[in-house]
Amino acid sequence: MAEPSLHTYLFFCNAIALLLVSPCLGLGLDTVREFLTREEDTIVFSLIERAKHPLNLPAYEDHACFGPSSGRRRNDSFAELFVRESEEIQAKAGRYQSQEEIPFFHSRVPFTLAPPYNFTTDLYPAAASINVNDAIWGFYFNELLPLLAKNGDDGNYAVTAASDLACLQALSRRINYGRYVAEVKFRGDQQRYTALISSKDKDALMTLLTSEAQEDVVKRRVEKKAMVFGQDVTLDGPTETGDKNTSQSSFKVAPSVVYKLYDQWVIPLTKKVEIEYLLHRLD
């Protein structure tokens, strides 16, 4: 009798692990699609909110400050300090107990304030921490923000940084949700994914994960949402949703910027998360 292949062995091992680690908790393709679609709304609204304010460049310039514990001077921008301190408070309130949320700065603040809750653990433990928050931080401040906000300084740095934080958290939640996308796809075709993961074939995994038609639908949908959500509503008559011939300046955030956000960053980084998650799915 022929001995089972390594791929067959890994397939059955992961099938058992799937039952042990992630019992039927409602995670499925429909759940994932609904989440991603709703996150589009959150992202578009957060971008609209940030676009209300000018660039406020002093909020992003490095300033010497004293660390809270060591007293040593540290060069951080006001925006970075705002995000760091906000995350520490939210960590203390239990925000990052959910696997959907990943902080940009890992805090050691204990979870002490919020009532305990048994969050689901749909993700494979060895791959659950995969994230691209560093890349999100980089493209947001260096490339996206100059497209969103007009030049100027109104001194409202705290409100501006709070809007930045809302954008960053929405983008992080959406992009790093690629872990859930990968988990659902893995469960749906374990044998094929197991073979590709075992051979570390990133190109084949990317081909298997990619649907250009669906990506095009998503990009056009978020562009349309920016048109619908980003217009002024009056009581004088029916609301016009606009089209691609409408001036981009007539919207609260340019629809072309939202399209570019998904085209150049959100979708590619989500797929990067999916690949990295899958490469650790058999660990």
Side-chain angles (χ1 to χ4, degrees):
M1 185 179 191
E3 297 205 4
S5 67
L6 176 60
H7 291 164
T8 303
Y9 173 75
L10 290 171
F11 170 75
F12 282 111
C13 284
N14 277 276
I16 294 172
L18 187 60
L19 292 174
L20 293 175
V21 175
S22 296
C24 185
L25 296 172
L27 182 66
L29 193 56
D30 290 341
T31 305
V32 167
R33 285 175 176 166
E34 181 181 3
F35 178 89
L36 296 177
T37 302
R38 291 297 301 273
E39 281 301 296
E40 294 169 5
D41 301 354
T42 303
I43 289 172
V44 172
F45 280 122
S46 68
L47 297 178
I48 290 172
E49 188 66 21
R50 178 58 184 90
K52 288 194 326 187
H53 310 287
L55 271 176
N56 285 338
L57 287 177
Y60 310 105
E61 296 170 353
D62 289 345
H63 298 285
C65 61
F66 289 94
S69 57
S70 64
R72 291 181 296 177
R73 294 176 71 86
R74 187 176 64 197
N75 290 325
D76 289 336
S77 69
F78 171 80
E80 181 172 333
L81 289 171
F82 188 98
V83 172
R84 188 190 301 271
E85 296 296 322
S86 297
E87 286 190 337
E88 286 194 3
I89 294 173
Q90 293 179 1
K92 200 170 184 180
R95 178 177 187 132
Y96 303 108
Q97 297 299 302
S98 168
Q99 290 183 320
E100 292 180 6
E101 303 282 354
I102 300 178
F104 286 87
F105 301 97
H106 290 282
S107 172
R108 296 182 180 179
V109 176
F111 167 53
T112 57
L113 297 179
Y117 184 82
N118 185 27
F119 285 98
T120 59
T121 54
D122 293 303
L123 299 176
Y124 189 70
S129 63
I130 297 295
N131 71 88
V132 291
N133 273 0
D134 287 346
I136 295 170
W137 183 277
F139 86 70
Y140 177 80
F141 286 109
N142 297 325
E143 300 181 76
L144 179 61
L145 192 54
L147 300 177
L148 277 179
K150 298 178 181 179
N151 289 325
D153 181 0
D154 65 3
N156 290 312
Y157 305 133
V159 177
T160 300
S163 296
D164 288 328
L165 177 59
C167 290
L168 287 167
Q169 289 179 329
L171 288 167
S172 173
R173 190 165 51 248
R174 163 59 177 83
I175 292 170
N176 291 317
Y177 201 79
R179 298 167 297 158
Y180 291 86
V181 177
E183 179 64 29
V184 167
K185 291 180 178 178
F186 177 86
R187 295 184 190 185
D189 195 353
Q190 289 190 46
Q191 194 160 12
R192 184 190 295 185
Y193 276 104
T194 297
L196 295 178
I197 295 168
S198 299
S199 62
K200 306 293 184 185
D201 194 337
K202 291 185 179 182
D203 292 337
L205 284 171
M206 182 62 76
T207 299
L208 190 56
L209 291 170
T210 300
S211 171
E212 292 184 359
Q214 182 59 34
E215 290 174 7
D216 183 62
V217 168
V218 171
K219 289 183 285 188
R220 289 189 291 109
R221 185 171 62 219
V222 294
E223 183 181 40
K224 184 64 175 289
K225 286 183 177 183
M227 293 178 183
V228 175
F229 301 161
Q231 60 189 307
D232 290 323
V233 178
T234 68
L235 299 178
D236 298 331
T239 300
E240 296 293 335
T241 58
D243 55 39
K244 290 190 176 181
N245 296 320
T246 305
S247 171
Q248 296 283 314
S249 62
S250 65
F251 300 106
K252 295 182 176 73
V253 60
S256 61
V257 170
V258 182
Y259 183 99
K260 182 176 181 177
L261 167 63
Y262 268 73
D263 181 49
Q264 294 195 9
W265 298 300
V266 171
I267 291 175
L269 285 175
T270 300
K271 291 197 289 187
K272 181 178 180 179
V273 169
E274 292 180 45
I275 294 293
E276 291 302 315
Y277 181 92
L278 289 170
L279 291 175
H280 290 82
R281 187 56 179 78
L282 304 181
D283 291 355

